[in-house]
Amino acid sequence: MDKYDVADTLELIGTLLELKGENPFRVRAYFTAAQTIRNTTADLMFYINSNSLTTLKGVGKDLAEKITDLAIHGDTKVLSELKSMFPPGVLELLKIPGLGPKRVKILYEQLGIASISELKYACERHQLQKLQGFGTKIEENILQGIEQITKSTGKFLYSIAKHTADILVESISQLKGVILCEVAGSVRRKKEVIGDIDILVSVEEYDIQKTSAEIIQLTQIEQVTGCGETKISTILKNGIQCDIRLVQPKSYPFALQYFTGSKEHNVALRTRAKAVGLSLNEYNFSSISKVQVPRCTTEDDIYKSLGLHPIPPELRENMGEIEEAETGIPKLISEQDIRGAFHCHTTYSDGSLTPEELCEAAKAKHWKFIGIADHTKSAAYANGMSIETAKRQIEHVRKLSTTLTNFTIFLGVECDILPDGSLDFPDSLLQEYDYVVVSIHSKFKMTETEATERIINALQNRYSTILGHPTGRLLLEREGYPINLKVVIDVAAKLQKVIEINSHPKRLDLDWRWIRYAKQHGVKLCISPDAHNAEGLNDTYYGVGIARKGWLEPRDILNTWSNTAIKTLFETIRKD
DNA sequence: GCCGTTTTCGGCCCGACTGTTTTCAGTCG
């Protein structure tokens, strides 16, 4: 097992212990250790070989043994014991909003419910009402929750799908006979939520059969659900459905264009081709009048043949990009354009790096600045800073700042907007910061009026504030969008404030429809990763991936800041 | 199950919300 598998397994053990009704602090120890393992920079085997696992925070003698077992053998005694106590379906029940380990335990032990379908059946027949602590409302909420998760089943966040696809593409590329291999579909278009992965492989006709046979043997594949001459349908180890298509080199550019989609973009493109006497499919162009068939060796050639500038996959949604491509396409932001990120946490709250380490991580990415924004005291679950800690941090970071050359630290704070609309820190302290991210972390089910009042109160007359990850919910967790989002954009428009697009892969808050809505209302947006470790900084780019779908150009992002210091920095960067 | 010591065991984040029950338990962030 690699460190991510080990971390996932430790969390699984923690969850099973919770179900068993174990001491909650013992449970927490597993989750803490999982987090630590996930955040380690060195390889897990390094700690094992050097016998230094116990130097990691939250890992003692006992967990060190279990981690070693998992890393080397892929299993540990306590795990198999726990697994034998609960059928796998019981764990599924925990995914239903409002159902935690205590209630799931009761449902399993008293009603024998061990799957979502059994739970649905029981709710519909009002069998839960017989249980102590359960009533009509809980039954209703569970049914609603089941409907919600059924809808999002089989959906994965972009970051997870991309990581999975990259590994598979690399494995396939190494097979003998494979000429080219790339990810297509919605992953290539950088959609924020992915249903399945499409992978395209270029092989000579005489190699197709042999290559297919080798692909289905790859370790990443859990199950082969279909295998024809040119298409293999699979389910990968992490549950993502993946279609692999094999095409001959001459068809590859056409297949890449076709399977990248979107469907709507392709329909529009074929319509355009037809208008000039050409028919376009996944294999080639053909002539439907007496037009000469253009030669295409790359995907770009296909667009050029139709009198268009090549359209980047991210924009292929038939949202006006084809018309735009007649004259030119705006240059999209690339990873190299990123110079820094705000909303990064350090060990002063719930981050795993010290300010010094965070700066080093940012410098390693050739960034020019970093914005630190740790939690304030009311975010107790995230180890929010007391006023005293905050003062200590300000002193520490300002001092660190003076030691750095060619690199700037902006010191901000992620300040909670409390339920009454006031801010968690007094204005006198907030003035000490370069910028303030104000975030809502509580009472999500507000009415529009309540939300508006709360946010307006928090933002009023405060100069350099950013409204932090305004929805505070996983995209996958809920059907539709939290009620507050429109409110947030409307308020930001009224008060001319910046909204942060939170690109932490687990909290992908906005999709391009809302970015467009914001843009229509003149609301400025910025990208931030909500990073808690060095790896988290990479998430900035995922946010850019989303943002570009809203036709956000670099200057939009660069212009989003009102704070003079930040603006000066951006002016400098722009000159580069 | 870990940590930090008062070195052998007590403390470990906490407040809000919801629903059930009538004072509290479970869930969530």
Side-chain angles (χ1 to χ4, degrees):
Chain A
M1 280 187 177
D2 67 15
K3 67 173 183 177
Y4 297 103
D5 292 332
V6 170
D8 289 348
T9 310
L10 290 175
E11 280 176 1
L12 174 65
I13 296 174
T15 307
L16 288 165
L17 287 170
E18 232 176 338
L19 272 177
K20 198 184 154 201
E22 264 285 351
N23 171 2
F25 297 107
R26 185 183 172 205
V27 171
R28 192 187 298 162
Y30 280 86
F31 283 95
T32 309
Q35 194 58 33
T36 305
I37 295 292
R38 205 172 275 129
N39 287 339
T40 52
T41 40
D43 188 62
L44 197 50
M45 286 316 289
F46 164 80
Y47 293 102
I48 293 172
N49 293 333
S50 58
N51 210 11
S52 58
L53 271 173
T54 51
T55 61
L56 296 171
K57 186 173 151 259
V59 180
K61 187 168 161 282
D62 187 275
L63 277 175
E65 271 176 34
K66 287 174 178 132
I67 291 165
T68 308
D69 274 353
L70 289 172
I72 295 171
H73 307 296
D75 200 5
T76 183
K77 198 174 157 212
V78 64
L79 177 64
S80 23
E81 282 172 5
L82 285 165
K83 271 185 172 172
S84 67
M85 293 173 69
F86 301 98
V90 175
L91 286 171
E92 293 293 304
L93 300 180
L94 289 167
K95 291 180 185 163
I96 299 165
L99 274 191
K102 301 273 167 53
R103 287 183 183 145
V104 167
K105 186 172 156 61
I106 294 173
L107 290 171
Y108 176 57
E109 287 178 349
Q110 301 193 22
L111 292 180
I113 291 171
S115 72
I116 289 178
S117 55
E118 285 169 2
L119 179 60
K120 188 164 182 247
Y121 183 91
C123 282
E124 282 164 354
R125 280 152 192 78
H126 308 297
Q127 291 173 1
L128 270 59
Q129 293 181 27
K130 293 185 284 189
L131 301 171
Q132 175 83 15
F134 286 78
T136 51
K137 192 74 188 139
I138 286 184
E139 275 184 344
E140 279 171 30
N141 288 347
I142 288 176
L143 282 173
Q144 216 174 4
I146 291 175
E147 199 182 331
Q148 210 179 95
I149 64 164
T150 312
K151 273 186 186 162
S152 63
T153 297
K155 300 279 184 194
F156 292 85
L157 289 169
Y158 169 76
S159 54
I160 296 167
K162 174 76 167 80
H163 179 69
T164 309
D166 284 347
I167 294 172
L168 195 56
V169 164
E170 198 183 335
S171 298
I172 296 175
S173 300
Q174 284 168 3
L175 298 176
K176 207 176 157 211
V178 170
I179 301 163
L180 267 176
C181 178
E182 276 174 276
V183 64
S186 51
V187 176
R188 183 161 180 245
R189 301 203 313 279
K190 294 196 171 77
K191 286 274 286 181
E192 47 285 332
V193 179
I194 307 289
D196 63 357
I197 296 173
D198 289 289
I199 288 176
L200 201 61
V201 187
S202 170
V203 280
E204 293 293 354
E205 194 177 4
Y206 50 81
D207 269 335
I208 286 186
Q209 218 176 350
K210 185 174 71 79
T211 309
S212 302
E214 286 172 358
I215 288 175
I216 58 176
Q217 296 299 322
L218 291 173
T219 52
Q220 292 92 343
I221 294 171
E222 172 79 27
Q223 192 192 345
V224 177
T225 54
C227 187
E229 284 193 357
T230 60
K231 180 182 170 185
I232 307 166
S233 295
T234 68
I235 295 177
L236 304 178
K237 284 267 158 65
N238 59 6
I240 306 185
Q241 195 188 314
C242 174
D243 287 343
I244 301 155
R245 292 162 202 275
L246 297 97
V247 298
Q248 295 176 47
K250 63 178 180 196
S251 297
Y252 189 82
F254 294 94
L256 183 61
Q257 194 289 315
Y258 182 89
F259 290 115
T260 297
S262 66
K263 197 173 140 197
E264 293 75 16
H265 173 85
N266 287 353
V267 168
L269 202 65
R270 288 199 295 267
T271 308
R272 189 181 174 87
K274 206 172 169 188
V276 297
L278 289 167
S279 169
L280 173 66
N281 62 22
E282 65 260 55
Y283 302 109
N284 53 34
F285 270 129
S286 54
S287 179
I288 48 174
S289 56
K290 286 180 182 155
V291 182
Q292 193 184 354
V293 177
R295 269 178 58 84
C296 297
T297 54
T298 65
E299 194 189 43
D300 284 357
D301 290 343
I302 299 170
Y303 287 95
K304 286 177 192 163
S305 304
L306 297 171
L308 300 171
H309 289 262
I311 300 173
E314 293 88 334
L315 298 178
R316 298 181 196 172
E317 303 288 344
N318 193 28
M319 298 293 295
E321 73 278 7
I322 294 180
E323 293 74 16
E324 193 104 350
E326 288 174 358
T327 50
I329 285 283
K331 185 184 171 289
L332 298 182
I333 302 160
S334 73
E335 197 159 1
Q336 289 70 41
D337 293 325
I338 299 172
R339 295 289 193 270
F342 296 89
H343 203 138
C344 302
H345 297 282
T346 72
T347 43
Y348 276 95
S349 64
D350 60 348
S352 65
L353 301 180
T354 62
E356 284 82 356
E357 289 165 338
L358 186 66
C359 289
E360 284 310 311
K363 279 173 155 181
K365 294 175 74 64
H366 305 291
W367 284 4
K368 297 212 164 184
F369 70 90
I370 194 81
I372 296 174
D374 275 309
H375 287 283
T376 54
K377 59 184 189 307
S378 289
Y381 60 89
N383 189 30
M385 298 183 291
S386 65
I387 290 178
E388 292 67 35
T389 309
K391 285 180 175 167
R392 217 171 60 235
Q393 189 209 30
I394 292 172
E395 198 179 329
H396 175 174
V397 174
R398 296 297 187 209
K399 198 171 166 193
L400 171 64
S401 232
T402 61
T403 65
L404 302 168
T405 48
N406 297 323
F407 187 84
T408 309
I409 304 177
F410 293 108
L411 181 59
V413 66
E414 180 177 9
C415 185
D416 267 49
I417 305 178
L418 302 176
D420 66 357
S422 63
L423 289 179
D424 203 17
F425 273 1
D427 278 350
S428 58
L429 181 56
L430 293 178
Q431 278 168 9
E432 302 269 318
Y433 294 98
D434 296 325
Y435 64 102
V436 178
V437 179
V438 290
S439 297
I440 289 175
H441 291 115
S442 60
K443 205 180 170 190
F444 290 112
K445 291 181 181 172
M446 289 173 284
T447 63
E448 280 203 13
T449 318
E450 284 170 335
T452 306
E453 272 175 20
R454 189 168 167 190
I455 298 164
I456 285 186
N457 196 18
L459 288 174
Q460 230 166 27
N461 301 326
R462 290 183 171 97
Y463 190 44
S464 182
T465 39
I466 307 160
L467 200 48
H469 49 88
T471 61
R473 277 285 193 274
L474 286 178
L475 193 61
L476 293 179
E477 255 180 17
R478 289 191 158 195
E479 178 193 347
Y481 296 90
I483 56 150
N484 298 343
L485 193 50
K486 185 176 171 297
V487 174
V488 165
I489 296 175
D490 291 342
V491 171
K494 192 173 162 198
L495 299 178
Q496 299 206 327
K497 293 294 180 185
V498 174
I499 296 182
E500 162 198 313
I501 303 169
N502 202 236
S503 54
H504 187 287
K506 287 191 174 172
R507 287 207 204 128
L508 215 48
D509 284 330
L510 294 169
D511 80 9
W512 61 271
R513 278 169 287 180
W514 289 106
I515 296 170
R516 284 170 76 95
Y517 181 79
K519 223 185 156 186
Q520 282 161 8
H521 290 76
V523 172
K524 297 294 185 186
L525 304 156
C526 73
I527 308 296
S528 75
D530 195 358
H532 292 79
N533 51 40
E535 240 164 44
L537 297 179
N538 298 332
D539 302 334
T540 315
Y541 186 59
Y542 297 133
V544 174
I546 305 161
R548 63 177 64 171
K549 288 184 196 143
W551 297 88
L552 213 75
E553 291 175 51
R555 65 167 176 274
D556 288 324
I557 294 182
L558 301 188
N559 283 335
T560 51
W561 301 89
S562 52
N563 180 289
T564 320
I566 294 172
K567 215 164 181 177
T568 311
L569 178 89
F570 276 131
E571 292 296 336
T572 317
I573 292 168
R574 216 183 304 190
K575 281 178 199 149
D576 285 352

